[in-house]
Each structure stands twice: as structure tokens, then as C-alpha cells.
Amino acid sequence: MVAHIKTIKSISSSFYYNERKLISGDATCMMAENYPCQLAELTQSDRLGMLEKMAALNPRTKVNGLHIFLNFDPANRLTPYSLKEIAKFYMHGIGFGNQPYLVYEHSDGAHPHLHILTTNIQADGRRINLYMKADRFQSLLKQIRTRFALTTSTAVKDSGLALYQAQLLKPTYGKSQTFSGIAGVLDRKLNEYLFSSFAELNAILGLYNIRAERGKEGSKLFKNRGLIYRLLDGAGNRIGVPVKASSFPFNPGLNKLEERFKRNVPLKLGLEGRIIYEIERILNNPQICDTAAFSASLKTKGIDVVIKDDPKGELQDMIYVDHLNTCAFQGAALGSAYGAKGILSRLGDNGYPALEFEKGQGLHAGELDDGLPGAGVSAAINLSQIRSEQDRPVIPVVKTQRKGQRRKYRVKH
């Protein structure tokens, strides 16, 4: 079992994401816990209204919701009753057992998984602070595995992708509709993965033959801050007619993406630990002596490696997509030793033909700098190793006014 918690500012956004899955038949609402009525008696507005009314009791708290993902090994044949009991045990374990929460079972992946939506604002208006160390989360998961006899199959142990990478079909030009194919991937991946730049976003989308583009600098599309999505063929070349971001009902446009970049930066803190651990473990293996073996070894751990090159085709960076913790990191952000040149130097390999890479302007086109830190905290499960403090990215600290000064400010205005 793998768990992931995302703190959110918009409860309604996550709610309607799950409700759309209900409409499409890819999910079932299993529970409405601590609601005044039974689930069968609640309408859609009732389910959302309860959470939003609770969140509104503390208007000063902007990050007032949790979107929790519980993933299970396909080897476990879990009944609806077992899934409900696991959800209850988990929510009590993290201190949210008395909060109203919704539990959705999704059936659109290769493994069973639950989505749980709740608020961190209590009935008295006080906020629940979710500050649990990784070892306490690990202890909770161990209790669940023991209590409910959860197992991990050999296939999943041998291949991280078997469980952690979503088994979405790649849209193929001529075999599937361009619009619906791109929409299906975007609707799911933009909500599942944490990314903080266009390079990282396109590394994720590229695994599904899709690329986001702003157009060339100076073009009408670029000047108007437009964004298009297009299909790629097996070699990473553009194919077919592009689709404007504004054409999709959820509008994954430039403004929305830039908001995500900023919001995802603090949520990614700590998630780099597993990637670094797996890289070091692989590089310490004397049998790994080229990029092909390096890429293949990481892939078995649920981590894809994507090469980023500049317009001249020169090697620029590696991007790691971790499907277990659903996040992407540029190699340079992890440290010079984990960028493309650092990895090639340590392998003694001067080429990289075996690795997947984006051609032309794919990853660097319209690329933005990494976003600034925003509000929110992420609790990530199954971190193998965290970097030392001196290696962590430096996050600017903003000095705030004293409490008395804030009070005067409010009275003045």
C-alpha cells in the first residue's frame, strides 16, 4: 500500500474531478463519513456543501482541504467492505477520523486505489495541523498491512511500473481521436503529478505522446500567452493538428499552469529523496556502466528518465519522473551530480541514445523558471532517503508583521 496526501486550496476543484469520474463510470462514491445523512440520501451539492461549509468556519485558512490517495497492490482482492474499513482506519490514524470526508474508489488504473476528500477545519473553526514525521506514517501503513493482511506481489517488487505508473493508453494519431485522447491524459495527469516547470510537465506528458507548446518567441500565440497541446509520434515528432488549451472544458492554459508551478514547489519538498537514493544505489552497482542500463534500472523502480536537449540538439539536462510519488524533478535541481553531464561522467558514457528524449523545442519551448514557493504542505509516504539539509533547495523566508501590527492594519482599513 502506498499513500500520498496533497493539501489543497480548492475543495470544489478536487471534488468535481472525482465527480467527473463518477459520471464517466470510472469511479464509485463509497462513503460519506460523518455526514448528517446516509450517502444514498445526499445529492451532489450536499456532498460538496458539507465540506465547504466546514472550511468556511475558518476564513483565514486558505489551504483548507486534503486530497488523499491510497494505492493498493493488484494482488490484493479487496472487497468494498475492506476498502471502507481501511479508509476509516487510515483517517483515524492521521487524526481526521471525526472530520466529514468522502471516499471514492477509482477503477481507471491498473491497481485498486481510493481518493479521499476532506477539510482540515473542525466544527469549532480550529484547524488541524498535519505534522507527522515520515516514520509515523510508515508505522501507520505497517499497521494497515498487518491488520488487513495486505501483500505485495513478486511482479510489483520486480517492476515499480507495474503498480505505480498509470496504465493509460497512449493516444495514437489515426487510431484514436486527437481531442479526446489528449483530454483524457491531461484530465488525469495534471491532477495526479507534481511538476514545477514546463520541462517537467512535458517530461510527464511525453510519456503519453503529448506535448504542451507556447510557440516561438515573437509569434502571435506566444505574445497572447496562448498554449496548445499536440500529439507526438513514436520518435517524438509533432503529428496532427494541435488543440488549443481553451478548447478543453477544464482549460489547462498558461495561467492555470503557472499557478500549479508555484503551488507545487513546496509540495515537492522531500520527494526528491527516493529518486536520489535509487540513483546512488544504481550508480554504485559496477554492472551499470552505460545510460541504457541506468535508464532500465530506474524504470524497474517506477522512475522514468527523460533527456532535455537545447535547440541545437546538445545535451542539457535529465528529468526524472517518479511514478510512485507522482512527481517530476529536473536533474539540475537535485544537484550537479544528478544532471545529465554529471550522470554521464559518473557512468563514463559519452552518449545517450537509449534514453527517451524530447526533440527540437519540445521541452525548452516556452519553458519558465521554477515557480516560487506557495502555501501548503505535502506529506509523502515511502521516502527511502532524504538529502542532508545543506543539499536542500533554499526557500526564501518572508518576514511577517507582528500580531499587534496586523491588528492595527485591519482597523485602519
Side-chain angles (χ1 to χ4, degrees):
M1 173 181 169
V2 178
H4 183 66
I5 301 176
K6 288 180 66 176
T7 55
I8 54 178
K9 290 183 179 180
S10 175
I11 293 177
S12 61
S13 177
S14 293
F15 174 79
Y16 285 116
Y17 166 74
N18 285 286
E19 290 293 312
R20 286 196 298 271
K21 295 295 183 180
L22 286 182
I23 297 173
S24 65
D26 293 324
T28 303
C29 187
M30 303 183 68
M31 297 173 61
E33 194 70 4
N34 298 319
Y35 274 67
C37 302
Q38 296 297 319
L39 176 60
E41 301 172 3
L42 298 172
T43 64
Q44 185 184 71
S45 58
D46 292 334
R47 295 195 296 271
L48 175 60
M50 180 70 176
L51 298 178
E52 290 191 324
K53 286 177 182 178
M54 289 281 287
L57 295 176
N58 187 337
R60 295 181 61 185
T61 299
K62 303 302 180 184
V63 182
N64 54 22
L66 296 182
H67 194 173
I68 302 169
F69 309 86
L70 300 183
N71 303 274
F72 305 95
D73 190 312
N76 295 291
R77 303 299 179 184
L78 298 172
T79 65
Y81 176 80
S82 298
L83 291 173
K84 291 178 183 179
E85 291 301 305
I86 290 173
K88 288 181 182 180
F89 193 93
Y90 182 83
M91 294 301 284
H92 277 282
I94 65 173
F96 280 73
N98 296 322
Q99 289 295 99
Y101 59 87
L102 298 170
V103 180
Y104 297 86
E105 181 186 10
H106 285 226
S107 57
D108 54 354
H111 61 280
H113 58 288
L114 300 179
H115 288 235
I116 304 176
L117 188 61
T118 187
T119 177
N120 58 356
I121 306 302
Q122 302 176 82
D124 59 4
R126 291 185 300 171
R127 180 180 61 191
I128 300 176
N129 292 318
L130 187 65
Y131 293 126
M132 290 176 65
K133 293 183 178 180
D135 57 349
R136 288 189 60 191
F137 277 111
Q138 295 284 9
S139 176
L140 174 60
L141 294 182
K142 186 176 181 179
Q143 292 178 49
I144 293 175
R145 293 190 190 101
T146 303
R147 184 185 182 96
F148 297 96
L150 301 181
T151 60
T152 301
S153 66
T154 304
V156 173
K157 289 179 180 178
D158 293 339
S159 177
L161 291 183
L163 173 60
Y164 302 118
Q165 184 177 11
Q167 299 297 313
L168 277 179
L169 293 177
K170 295 182 179 180
T172 304
Y173 182 74
K175 294 184 179 180
S176 58
Q177 292 186 356
T178 299
F179 180 85
S180 60
I182 295 177
V185 173
L186 293 180
D187 184 40
R188 179 164 177 176
K189 295 306 163 186
L190 294 185
N191 287 290
E192 283 188 1
Y193 282 76
L194 296 174
F195 48 86
S196 51
S197 69
F198 263 104
E200 293 171 357
L201 169 63
N202 273 327
I204 296 168
L205 296 181
L207 299 176
Y208 299 93
N209 294 339
I210 297 173
R211 177 186 297 161
E213 294 182 356
R214 288 195 59 192
K216 295 181 179 179
E217 290 191 29
S219 65
K220 184 177 180 180
L221 178 66
F222 189 90
K223 290 180 179 178
N224 293 334
R225 291 179 56 79
L227 189 69
I228 58 174
Y229 292 89
R230 62 192 319 154
L231 287 180
L232 307 176
D233 61 17
N237 301 307
R238 305 177 186 88
I239 188 169
V241 179
V243 181
K244 293 182 179 180
S246 58
S247 301
F248 299 103
F250 45 91
N251 190 14
L254 185 59
N255 291 335
K256 293 287 184 66
L257 289 179
E258 288 179 341
E259 290 176 4
R260 284 178 181 268
F261 294 160
K262 295 178 182 179
R263 187 169 67 244
N264 287 345
V265 169
L267 299 179
K268 289 170 58 180
L269 290 177
L271 297 180
E272 72 278 13
R274 194 181 88 89
I275 298 176
I276 292 174
Y277 173 80
E278 295 296 349
I279 292 175
E280 290 295 340
R281 186 189 63 80
I282 291 171
L283 291 178
N284 287 332
N285 184 346
Q287 296 181 348
I288 306 298
C289 55
D290 57 30
T291 52
F294 174 74
S295 176
S297 297
L298 275 180
K299 199 176 187 72
T300 65
K301 300 302 179 181
I303 301 174
D304 270 306
V305 185
V306 180
I307 285 291
K308 175 189 170 189
D309 61 345
D310 61 19
K312 297 180 181 179
E314 297 179 358
L315 184 61
Q316 197 173 21
D317 195 10
M318 280 183 177
I319 301 173
Y320 304 95
V321 181
D322 183 352
H323 300 291
L324 190 156
N325 283 326
T326 58
C327 60
F329 282 92
Q330 291 182 245
L334 302 179
S336 58
Y338 306 107
K341 294 182 180 178
I343 295 296
L344 294 178
S345 175
R346 296 171 72 180
L347 288 172
D349 193 349
N350 295 320
Y352 55 99
L355 297 181
E356 300 179 55
F357 71 98
E358 297 290 338
K359 295 183 177 180
Q361 63 173 7
L363 288 177
H364 60 269
E367 179 182 339
L368 305 180
D369 293 331
D370 286 345
L372 298 176
V377 180
S378 176
I381 312 304
N382 272 13
L383 297 184
S384 301
Q385 181 175 317
I386 306 298
R387 286 187 297 168
S388 59
E389 289 297 322
Q390 61 266 30
D391 291 331
R392 285 187 176 279
V394 178
I395 304 298
V397 178
V398 180
K399 190 174 182 180
T400 59
Q401 291 178 308
R402 289 180 298 179
K403 187 175 181 181
Q405 292 177 318
R406 291 201 301 271
R407 185 179 296 112
K408 291 179 182 179
Y409 181 86
R410 290 197 298 272
V411 172
K412 183 178 179 180
H413 289 77

